[in-house]
């Protein structure tokens, strides 16, 4: 996360740096299996995690001496408020997508049929800004992963 934040927004304020590091805070405590294994269940799980992680991060920031305004901003970023209108929220989303593509995608794609993987890549790409796209295209990937990305972008 830190690597991609430094590439995407080297002068990021502390609140964004904190939110980037807190967006998956204690995620393991709420397993995916605790929600129905449906599309609605997945979205409910993700939205519940965002709210929970934002509350935890806000509390930690307050305990660490950040102002209520700063802590609230970290929480809003973790909740991804204003995704298409807030430039810092977009940076957070770009960084999350870049980490997925760089660190998790190759293992992730092995568990799904190609059509599903292509759909996920298209959705991931749609969430990103032009700056995020430029960084994504520079990621060193296996030939198979690169072929899937190219195929998704063409289709």
């Amino acid at each position: 996360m830190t690597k991609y934040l430094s590439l995407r927004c080297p002068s990021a304020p502390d609140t964004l740096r904190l939110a980037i590091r807190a967006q998956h805070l204690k995620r393991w405590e709420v397993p995916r299996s605790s929600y129905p294994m449906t599309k609605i269940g997945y979205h409910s799980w993700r939205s519940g995690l965002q709210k929970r992680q934002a509350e935890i991060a806000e509390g930690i920031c307050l305990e660490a001496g950040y102002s209520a305004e700063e802590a609230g901003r970290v929480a809003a970023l973790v909740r991804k408020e204003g995704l298409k209108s807030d430039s810092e929220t977009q940076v957070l989303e770009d960084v999350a997508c870049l980490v997925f593509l760089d660190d998790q995608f190759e293992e992730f794609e092995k568990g799904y049929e190609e059509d599903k993987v292509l759909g996920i890549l298209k959705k991931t790409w749609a969430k990103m800004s032009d700056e995020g796209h430029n960084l994504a295209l520079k990621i060193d990937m296996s030939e198979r992963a690169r072929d899937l990305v190219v195929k998704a972008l063409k289709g």
Side-chain angles (χ1 to χ4, degrees):
M1 300 293 281
T2 301
K3 170 188 166 184
Y4 281 109
L5 178 59
S6 69
L7 292 171
R8 176 62 178 80
C9 186
S11 61
D14 283 348
T15 51
L16 179 55
R17 292 179 187 284
L18 290 165
I20 291 279
R21 290 173 179 93
Q23 68 173 326
H24 288 167
L25 191 61
K26 297 187 177 190
R27 188 177 196 156
W28 65 89
E29 292 181 352
V30 183
R32 170 65 184 94
S33 61
S34 64
Y35 284 77
M37 297 305 281
T38 62
K39 188 174 185 175
I40 292 171
Y42 173 75
H43 289 291
S44 296
W45 173 69
R46 291 272 310 265
S47 131
L49 282 173
Q50 276 183 338
K51 182 180 178 193
R52 180 178 186 270
Q53 290 156 191
E55 289 171 358
I56 293 168
E58 186 172 19
I60 291 170
C61 287
L62 290 169
E63 287 174 20
Y66 286 90
S67 70
E69 182 180 338
E70 291 166 321
R73 178 65 176 150
V74 170
L77 287 165
V78 170
R79 287 189 299 269
K80 297 183 182 178
E81 291 179 6
L83 182 55
K84 292 299 178 183
S85 59
D86 184 313
S87 62
E88 290 182 357
T89 304
Q90 185 60 59
V91 168
L92 182 139
E93 186 66 28
D94 283 352
V95 169
C97 292
L98 290 163
V99 169
F100 167 70
L101 291 169
D102 186 24
D103 189 52
Q104 302 160 351
F105 175 64
E106 290 187 37
E107 189 61 34
F108 171 85
E109 68 89 8
K110 293 175 186 173
Y112 297 95
E113 293 183 22
E114 186 173 297
D115 286 345
K116 174 103 174 152
V117 171
L118 294 175
I120 289 166
L121 283 170
K122 288 176 187 178
K123 289 176 187 170
T124 300
W125 203 257
K127 294 180 195 178
M128 297 170 71
S129 69
D130 290 341
E131 295 92 340
H133 293 158
N134 290 335
L135 289 169
L137 293 173
K138 295 175 184 172
I139 294 173
D140 184 29
M141 295 182 181
S142 69
E143 187 175 334
R144 166 137 175 91
R146 174 76 54 198
D147 288 347
L148 286 167
V149 169
V150 168
K151 192 172 185 179
L153 296 179
K154 286 182 180 178

